[in-house]
Amino acid sequence: MGTRAGGRRTGPKCIAIVGPFASGKTTLLEAILARTGAIPRQNPVSSGSTVSDHSPEARAHAMSVEATFATTEFMGEQLTFVDCPGSIEFSFEAEPVLAACDIAVVVAEADEKKIPALQLIMRKLDDLGVPRILFLNKVDKAIAGVRDTLKMLQPTSAAPLLLRQIPLRKDNVVIGSIDLALERAYIYREYAESQVAEIPTDDKARELEARFSMLETLADHDDQLMEQLLEEIEPPKDAVFDDLSADLRAGAVTPVLIGTAEKGNGVLRLLKAIRHDAPDVEATRKRLGVPDGNQTVVQVMKTIHTAHGGKLSVSRVLSGQIADAAELYLSNGETAKISGIYKMLGKDQSKLVAAKAGDTVALGKLDEVKTGQTLSSAKGGMKPLLTLAPPQPVFAFALRPKERKDEVKMSAAIQRLAEEDPSLTLRHNQDSAETVLSGHGEMHLRVVRERLEGKNQIPVEGHAPAVPYRETIRKTVQQRGRHKKQSGGHGQFGDVVIEIKPLPRGSGFQFSDTITGGVVPKTYIQSVETGVRDYLKSGPLGFPVVDVAVNLSDGSYHAVDSSDMAFQMAAKLAMKEGMAACSPVLLEPVMKVEIVTPSEATSKIIALIPQRRGQILGYDARPDWPGWDVVEATMPQAEIGDLIIELRSATAGVASYRCAFDHMAELTGRLADEAMNTNGKAA
């Protein structure tokens, strides 16, 4: 025992700070930067002047809306911390960060309502294989005991939550902590290093019990420690620290440290645990499958467009080293030339000459490089280490500039925003001629709109995207259409008789002809079909027509005056008059919806589905997700636009859904009238 961890890992480290919304992540980063001397003092989040609050949107909404990087030094070692947003709407920011970091600090508190959000974060860390320390924040305000809190939080973690500290209380007020590994007490001092003290006699029994529980958990992975505990032999402290390091790095345990970030309490012990126990870039290389060799490998974690410095690609150097003006290869074999290397501290950058393995730096003006890509010195590039797969968008709005002259400018600005946030989706809807922006919630897209109007100075208008209604018919009708025009010289003549009949739902459009005797020459039959198809783009109700069959059965022509255009016009006239007599009916798209929700909110979700004209198909436990359910339903697309707002409201911000087109259904009555007034010919 004592050699499992192989000693302390030195060199630059990258640490992600993650946790549920409002758990204190930004406050913790401020406390860390103040304690390490990177900033002169710790600024409260309410001041709007923290390192992570450098964007107007973050300040306006009092929440982190993007990953913030800050590099500092502690006891001679370089540490880069990344403050990741806590809201599920901005959670995709953490994906490329977590992949390339060495360890995560999960900030949590004794709040039962935040357990589902914490579970989402812990599950992501498990999927990526990232070791983590849990920092139990706000212990000065917690009513429940620390060990009771851990019992509450344990279902969120696949690995045992290993308590390394217990609170030290006086008159029911937390005044410090007791470190179970060091067997030493620390008296908190606001915004200053804690004072070392002897463990009070009244707390000794409590400390021994908690320490034994910690050692029992460590003994699950150390047979020698197990023997010592059975024989009541006190294990050496260095061996205990070795076990703590080894089990953390292996992901076998999640050590739990306590403190109050707002007052800077517990921050120094956290920093020392990171310095001593955290893995380094070598372990991250192995986790990502970086091939052995002497090549330089760089993983891009975030893209930033600055006002004056242009594009920055914040990246982790996984192996080798890079210098300014160096050329690296993308995975597709293209080259990218570095123009500037910078150390990050929020919005501030300081220029570097070079960067080595382990460093997290911003690389300047890699215009062709995107977030999540892998760069290397290997000629022709190497296989990407990460595949970014954003979750399906759950909220959208149609966007247009208030002034037409800004259309090109808006398009370029949105492309830059999508580079910074790959979870944004932009598409042009040809049916409605709308530019539709999709994302992961109402707040997500609100921030995008604020950036367009603030950072890019483009006033925009947004509204709910048009629903792709269709129309069909219920009756079969035969109709003649004749186009005849005489205007001197050659006239225009086309005459057709068509039969229009409904088809089963989902059949689309079918065209046929039963012309005999050449009453409509074959050269014009295609023109008739073209005219019919052109009319079907907008039927009598104002929407594209589907599930209709048209047969050309009769007609006549003129040897001189007939033409392709004349027969197209004749076909359109026949369709216009015939379709109105076919009992047209509106169709709306109905989607298959799969909602994931904490089990405690399932009844609320089931209750709201019928309110949106949905039909519940069933619900069941979410596989391998204790405490979560999956609810399946069908729901009209018109009812899904703002569904996510209600889902998140009912589940403390964590529910989500996936949907896919299922079928078209008839829509009649008041709802059909409203749809036509908004989108159809009645408008």
Side-chain angles (χ1 to χ4, degrees), residues 45 89 135 139 171 322 328 335 338 368-369 442 563 567 570 594 612 631 633 660:
V45 171
E89 299 196 15
F135 182 76
V139 292
D171 299 329
I322 51 176
L328 296 174
T335 58
I338 297 169
E368 61 279 7
V369 174
E442 187 268 342
S563 65
F567 272 96
E594 185 179 272
R612 291 175 173 266
V631 180

Side-chain angles (χ1 to χ4, degrees), residues 54-315:
H54 57 268
S55 75
E57 300 79 31
R59 291 193 295 272
H61 301 294
M63 64 187 297
S64 297
V65 297
E66 61 184 327
T68 302
F69 295 75
T71 298
T72 186
E73 286 196 5
F74 177 67
M75 297 180 69
E77 293 192 12
Q78 180 177 292
L79 305 175
T80 297
F81 291 89
V82 191
D83 181 11
C84 299
S87 168
I88 190 173
E89 299 196 15
F90 302 96
S91 61
F92 190 73
E93 282 277 316
E95 291 266 332
V97 171
L98 290 172
C101 72
D102 302 319
I103 190 170
V105 173
V106 182
V107 184
E109 58 185 301
D111 187 345
E112 194 172 11
K113 293 179 181 177
K114 294 183 179 180
I115 286 179
L118 181 61
Q119 189 175 6
L120 290 173
I121 292 162
M122 298 292 250
R123 185 62 175 255
K124 176 57 65 176
L125 294 172
D126 287 337
D127 291 344
L128 295 171
V130 179
R132 80 295 313 251
I133 293 173
L134 191 144
F135 182 76
L136 190 57
N137 194 21
K138 307 178 187 179
V139 292
D140 59 331
K141 299 176 182 177
I143 298 174
V146 171
R147 280 183 282 184
D148 288 338
T149 299
L150 256 61
K151 287 179 183 177
M152 179 178 71
L153 299 181
Q154 182 59 67
T156 68
S157 176
L161 298 178
L162 181 72
L163 192 61
R164 276 197 60 170
Q165 297 171 319
I166 58 174
L168 185 61
R169 301 177 189 271
K170 184 177 182 180
D171 299 329
N172 292 323
V173 176
V174 176
I175 63 167
S177 67
I178 299 174
D179 191 293
L180 302 177
L182 286 169
E183 294 189 283
R184 192 179 296 164
Y186 293 88
I187 309 299
Y188 291 151
R189 296 187 295 179
E190 284 194 18
Y191 311 115
E193 185 175 341
S194 298
Q195 181 181 346
V196 181
E198 292 295 323
I199 299 173
T201 304
D202 293 346
D203 293 293
K204 192 64 181 175
R206 189 167 61 95
E207 182 270 333
L208 289 173
E209 181 187 355
R211 175 178 165 82
F212 186 78
S213 177
M214 178 188 76
L215 295 176
E216 274 189 316
T217 302
L218 293 175
D220 289 339
H221 306 282
D222 188 331
D223 293 339
Q224 189 174 347
L225 176 58
M226 179 65 78
E227 291 176 13
Q228 289 175 331
L229 294 181
L230 291 173
E231 296 173 10
E232 298 185 357
I233 298 172
E234 179 65 24
K237 280 191 174 62
D238 63 343
V240 173
F241 277 109
D242 182 76
D243 277 338
L244 285 166
S245 298
D247 289 351
L248 165 65
R249 294 172 193 170
V253 299
T254 297
V256 178
L257 302 178
I258 65 173
T260 300
E262 188 177 22
K263 300 176 181 177
N265 298 152
V267 171
L268 185 60
R269 299 310 312 159
L270 173 64
L271 283 166
K272 288 188 175 180
I274 291 170
R275 182 176 184 269
H276 186 276
D277 299 335
D280 61 359
V281 71
E282 181 181 353
T284 303
R285 282 199 297 268
K286 290 179 181 177
R287 173 164 55 82
L288 290 173
V290 176
D292 294 332
N294 298 321
Q295 72 264 37
T296 296
V297 179
V298 175
Q299 184 66 26
V300 182
M301 306 166 82
K302 181 167 177 61
T303 300
I304 302 171
H305 286 276
T306 65
H308 304 293
K311 179 178 174 181
L312 294 177
S313 300
V314 187
S315 307

Side-chain angles (χ1 to χ4, degrees), residues 563-634:
S563 65
D564 288 337
M565 184 57 66
F567 272 96
Q568 286 185 37
M569 295 300 295
K572 288 181 185 180
L573 286 170
M575 289 296 295
K576 183 177 180 180
E577 295 176 14
M579 283 289 293
C582 287
S583 296
V585 63
L586 193 65
L587 297 176
E588 68 171 346
V590 177
M591 315 298 281
K592 175 80 173 290
V593 184
E594 185 179 272
I595 301 168
V596 292
T597 173
S599 302
E600 62 191 21
T602 300
S603 59
K604 295 180 185 177
I605 304 304
I606 289 175
L608 71 83
I609 288 173
Q611 297 171 13
R612 291 175 173 266
R613 298 191 288 130
Q615 182 176 0
I616 298 166
L617 301 178
Y619 69 95
D620 205 346
R622 189 179 185 186
D624 300 321
W625 279 77
W628 286 71
D629 288 336
V630 178
V631 180
E632 293 187 346
T634 56

Side-chain angles (χ1 to χ4, degrees), residues 266-429:
V267 171
L268 185 60
R269 299 310 312 159
L270 173 64
L271 283 166
K272 288 188 175 180
I274 291 170
R275 182 176 184 269
H276 186 276
D277 299 335
D280 61 359
V281 71
E282 181 181 353
T284 303
R285 282 199 297 268
K286 290 179 181 177
R287 173 164 55 82
L288 290 173
V290 176
D292 294 332
N294 298 321
Q295 72 264 37
T296 296
V297 179
V298 175
Q299 184 66 26
V300 182
M301 306 166 82
K302 181 167 177 61
T303 300
I304 302 171
H305 286 276
T306 65
H308 304 293
K311 179 178 174 181
L312 294 177
S313 300
V314 187
S315 307
R316 184 87 194 278
V317 183
L318 296 174
S319 65
Q321 57 186 2
I322 51 176
D324 198 3
E327 283 194 350
L328 296 174
Y329 290 90
L330 282 74
S331 299
N332 61 7
E334 295 180 3
T335 58
K337 186 175 182 179
I338 297 169
S339 180
I341 303 173
Y342 305 91
K343 182 172 78 171
M344 302 287 291
L345 184 64
K347 66 178 179 180
D348 299 321
Q349 305 111 34
S350 53
K351 195 158 188 179
L352 302 172
V353 175
K356 60 184 181 303
D359 286 345
T360 303
V361 293
L363 306 178
K365 298 181 181 178
L366 299 179
D367 294 334
E368 61 279 7
V369 174
K370 298 178 181 179
T371 299
Q373 288 188 323
T374 304
L375 310 177
S376 74
S377 60
K379 193 166 185 179
M382 60 175 287
K383 184 180 177 182
L385 299 175
L386 177 67
T387 301
L388 284 180
Q392 186 184 62
V394 294
F395 192 76
F397 59 58
L399 204 62
R400 66 184 177 200
K402 288 184 178 179
E403 297 186 32
R404 191 159 187 155
K405 65 182 179 63
D406 287 334
E407 285 184 354
V408 175
K409 188 178 176 183
M410 185 189 80
S411 178
I414 291 177
Q415 286 182 346
R416 288 193 298 271
L417 291 173
E419 269 197 286
E420 294 181 334
D421 181 0
S423 67
L424 285 174
T425 304
L426 185 69
R427 64 181 176 86
H428 183 72
N429 187 329

